[in-house]
Every structure is written in structure tokens, then in C-alpha cells.
Amino acid sequence: MKGDPEERALAVGRYLAGSGATVRTAAKVFGVSKSTIWKDQMRLRRLSPGLWREVRKVLLKNKAERHLRGGEATRCKYLRQARALHPPDGTGDCGG
């Protein structure tokens, strides 16, 4: 979604507040860069302070949890590598 930056900022804000998604996910959904998502949040602060506060809560929560998501991604990476060497018995998580 390119177009009007103010409209995009509001749309991104509603998406983040409603879904709790990460900046990376929002960037993929809207077809823009992560930098653009962050710039849109500065626009949102001016356009809709109430929505911006909701979005800020989501982004702060995501920031606080990112080390957990990163650790999980690393765990899954090594599980997938181990499964490539030793096929699983059909149990476990992390896909693969």
C-alpha cells in the first residue's frame, strides 16, 4: 500500500493495534520497509494520538518479547538441522 502517507499511517496503526503484529510483519503486509512503518508511527502520533498510544503499547510489548522470539527461532533452527541428520519420529514442534 503506497499512496497517501497519512492514510497509510492510520491503516498501519489500526492494523498494529488490532493484530499485535510486529513491525516486520506490518511492513510485509503493507508492502513497505520497516523504516517506513516507523516513520508512519511518527505521522500517526500527530494524526491520531489515541491510536498512536495503543500502537506504542503493542510495539513496546513486542520489543520486550523479541529476545524470546529470537531464542525460539534459534532453537527451531537447530532442531530442523538435527532432524535433517536424524529423521524425527513425528513428535515435537517447530515444523519440519
Side-chain angles (χ1 to χ4, degrees), residues 11-92:
V12 169
R14 287 189 293 268
Y15 173 76
L16 288 170
S19 69
T22 63
V23 169
R24 182 176 300 227
T25 301
K28 286 180 185 176
V29 167
F30 285 89
V32 296
S33 70
K34 293 186 300 181
S35 297
T36 300
I37 297 295
W38 285 112
K39 288 177 188 175
D40 284 348
Q41 297 320 296
M42 294 303 104
R43 288 184 187 101
L44 187 62
R45 187 175 188 179
R46 177 178 44 85
L47 294 170
S48 178
L51 179 57
W52 176 77
R53 281 190 291 277
E54 290 179 46
V55 170
R56 187 163 183 263
K57 286 179 193 175
V58 169
L59 297 179
L60 289 173
K61 176 184 159 289
N62 287 344
K63 183 178 178 184
E65 293 174 350
R66 71 181 171 191
H67 69 286
L68 300 172
R69 283 191 300 273
E72 180 66 12
T74 301
R75 185 179 78 82
C76 288
K77 172 186 170 183
Y78 288 109
L79 277 174
R80 281 190 297 274
Q81 288 177 353
R83 286 182 184 148
L85 296 173
H86 309 285
D89 60 1
T91 60

